[in-house]
Amino acid sequence: MHDRNRATWVVASGRTRAPGEPLNVPPEFASNYYLPTERVYSRSDGTATSLALEEIVGGLDGGRALVFSSGMAAAAAVLHRLPTGAHVVVPSDPYHGVEGLIDEGVAQGRWRATRLDPADTEAWVDAARTADLLWIESPSNPLIAVADLPTICGAPRKEGTLVAVDSTFATPLNQQPLDYGADVVMHSATKFMGGHSDLLAGVLVTRDPELHDEFHRRRLLYGGTIGGMEAFLTIRGIRTLSLRMERAQDNARELARRLDAHPEVALVRYPGLESHPTHRAAASFMKDFGALISFDPTGPGERASDVCARLELIHHATSLGGVESTMERRAVIEGQERIPPSLIRFSVGCEDVEDIWDDLDQALRGTRET
Ligand SMILES: *Cc1c(COP(=O)(O)O)cnc(C)c1O
């Protein structure tokens, strides 16, 4: 824990400050260390670089962090601690990788799962009394729905019920699930923390020492440990997290407003818009609304593919959270019926807002088609 602003923490933390040492912990490429020592083997004990990254992220989320080789490795460490027959509650639109993990466990008879609308706060509060795990993702992917985290995480629970929050879209700068009462926060650091679309990384943060030890054990058993280079690049990315988020969120706020008024757009999903069904929940506890917008162009689903194909500045690519704006039609990627066929998920980057708008507008209108 720390008493500085998070915008300072991302820059100042995770450094040795020892005379003669470099300002930045370098990438440490090591599997094993000379004995006798505390740090024996990096799959279990990490490297100097991954430990520095854990100090940074732990401070941001207000707990102890463990970094993993990807967001999915972190999510698996939470799910696979469940006993056989456990009851898992998940959002109706979870990240599709997490959904795959949940569905596989259901098919194998490991657990049963109930899906709840992230906006149905009462249903989540009820579920806390009976379920073994509440897996909340907020804002959700790709509908960008915000769950009322303070109410759900603070609700009375059955003894032993674990509340986990996938906070990837919000980052620790916009919400603090552990403060609201969650047991564990998960991030795909591949996204905003890394921030440059050039690495995979995941994090779990908890205040419970026993949970931390359990997750640590799962990491070493499954081998989901982060490499030295990825840990270094994630730290490099986090140094500008606050700056990048500020710029991307300013852009997103403006672009959502303009998209909402665009004649070629049927629907915009962005919690900063007052018309968004979860705007009130989001405004009640989030510091800002993030940098993701989902929108549906008018017309049939194929029109959304046409819009993506016409992009010149914005990158037609999956994933999100990089300095560069990216967008894709999600129904093509996930192929699931729950994804609205026209939905385009737009990860707003740090380019000049007028340049992004110019590209969006021409792609929507098809004016530069030859
Ligand atoms: C990307 C993502 C994940 C999975 O993370 P990886 O780093 O790709 O393994 C989990 N949850 C959300 C919300 C994501 O966007």
Side-chain angles (χ1 to χ4, degrees):
M1 293 295 281
H2 57 93
D3 56 7
R4 294 207 173 110
N5 191 292
R6 290 186 174 78
T8 302
W9 184 259
V10 294
V11 177
S13 63
R15 305 182 189 269
T16 68
R17 288 184 177 266
E21 290 292 316
L23 265 73
N24 298 288
V25 175
E28 183 170 276
F29 301 118
S31 53
N32 46 350
Y33 298 84
Y34 286 109
L35 299 170
T37 180
E38 288 277 288
R39 202 136 43 87
V40 175
Y41 191 59
S42 63
R43 172 157 53 75
S44 63
D45 307 323
T47 60
T49 325
S50 71
L51 293 173
L53 174 56
E54 285 169 353
E55 180 192 325
I56 299 168
V57 182
L60 284 175
D61 267 315
R64 254 184 98 190
L66 269 175
V67 294
F68 291 78
S69 53
S70 70
M72 285 307 298
V78 178
L79 282 160
H80 285 168
R81 70 177 283 285
L82 289 169
T84 305
H87 180 204
V88 189
V89 178
V90 287
S92 39
D93 64 329
Y95 173 72
H96 69 128
V98 171
E99 182 168 49
L101 202 56
I102 303 262
D103 288 351
E104 187 190 70
V106 170
Q108 292 171 336
R110 289 184 74 149
W111 51 64
R112 73 197 162 83
T114 304
R115 289 163 173 255
L116 296 179
D117 179 350
D120 190 349
T121 308
E122 238 174 85
W124 285 91
V125 167
D126 278 351
R129 296 203 191 90
T130 56
D132 299 293
L133 170 68
L134 300 189
W135 179 273
I136 314 172
E137 183 183 308
S138 184
S140 68
N141 182 2
L143 299 182
I144 332 282
V146 174
D148 183 346
L149 291 181
T151 304
I152 298 169
C153 297
R157 299 181 205 158
K158 182 182 84 170
E159 166 121 26
T161 298
L162 196 80
V163 176
V165 176
D166 181 342
S167 198
T168 300
F169 277 27
T171 83
L173 301 180
N174 282 334
Q175 65 192 22
Q176 293 290 304
L178 297 182
D179 282 352
Y180 314 144
D183 300 290
V184 51
V185 180
M186 176 248 155
H187 296 279
S188 168
T190 307
K191 315 294 167 56
F192 292 99
M193 287 190 186
H196 296 77
S197 311
D198 56 6
L199 61 88
L200 289 168
V203 196
L204 294 178
V205 190
T206 179
R207 287 177 185 166
D208 180 333
E210 280 178 30
L211 267 182
H212 178 274
D213 290 351
E214 257 191 63
F215 296 146
H216 183 255
R217 203 176 102 79
R218 292 237 133 51
R219 187 179 72 176
L220 83 89
L221 289 179
Y222 295 173
T225 313
I226 194 168
M229 194 63 190
E230 280 74 14
F232 175 79
L233 287 172
T234 307
I235 293 175
R236 164 78 65 109
I238 290 177
R239 297 293 182 217
T240 55
L241 179 65
S242 172
L243 271 175
R244 286 185 286 107
M245 287 300 285
E246 214 173 282
R247 172 64 166 262
Q249 292 183 129
D250 284 350
N251 285 352
R253 217 175 294 112
E254 179 60 22
L255 294 167
R257 197 181 58 72
R258 294 190 193 181
L259 279 170
D260 200 36
H262 199 287
E264 303 292 333
V265 173
L267 180 65
V268 179
R269 296 178 185 82
Y270 167 73
L273 286 178
E274 279 180 28
S275 56
H276 189 276
T278 60
H279 170 73
R280 278 187 50 192
S284 74
F285 71 93
M286 291 182 75
K287 197 165 164 225
D288 204 338
F289 303 105
L292 279 137
I293 301 172
S294 286
F295 66 97
D296 297 9
T298 54
E302 291 69 44
R303 261 215 76 210
S305 294
D306 296 342
V307 170
C308 292
R310 281 196 287 261
L311 296 168
E312 293 169 355
L313 172 71
I314 300 165
H315 305 273
H316 183 200
T318 194
S319 201
L320 53 108
V323 281
E324 57 288 281
S325 293
T326 56
M327 63 168 67
E328 66 175 336
R329 183 179 164 207
R330 279 310 288 177
V332 177
I333 304 292
E334 294 192 41
Q336 286 168 345
E337 280 169 16
R338 66 182 174 84
I339 309 293
S342 294
L343 184 145
I344 293 178
R345 191 186 63 197
F346 175 20
S347 174
V348 179
C350 297
E351 301 92 339
D352 179 83
V353 68
E354 297 302 335
D355 287 334
I356 304 174
W357 178 248
D358 183 55
D359 193 34
L360 255 182
D361 185 55
Q362 69 77 20
L364 279 163
R365 293 183 196 271
T367 43
R368 271 182 225 154
E369 222 167 15
T370 47

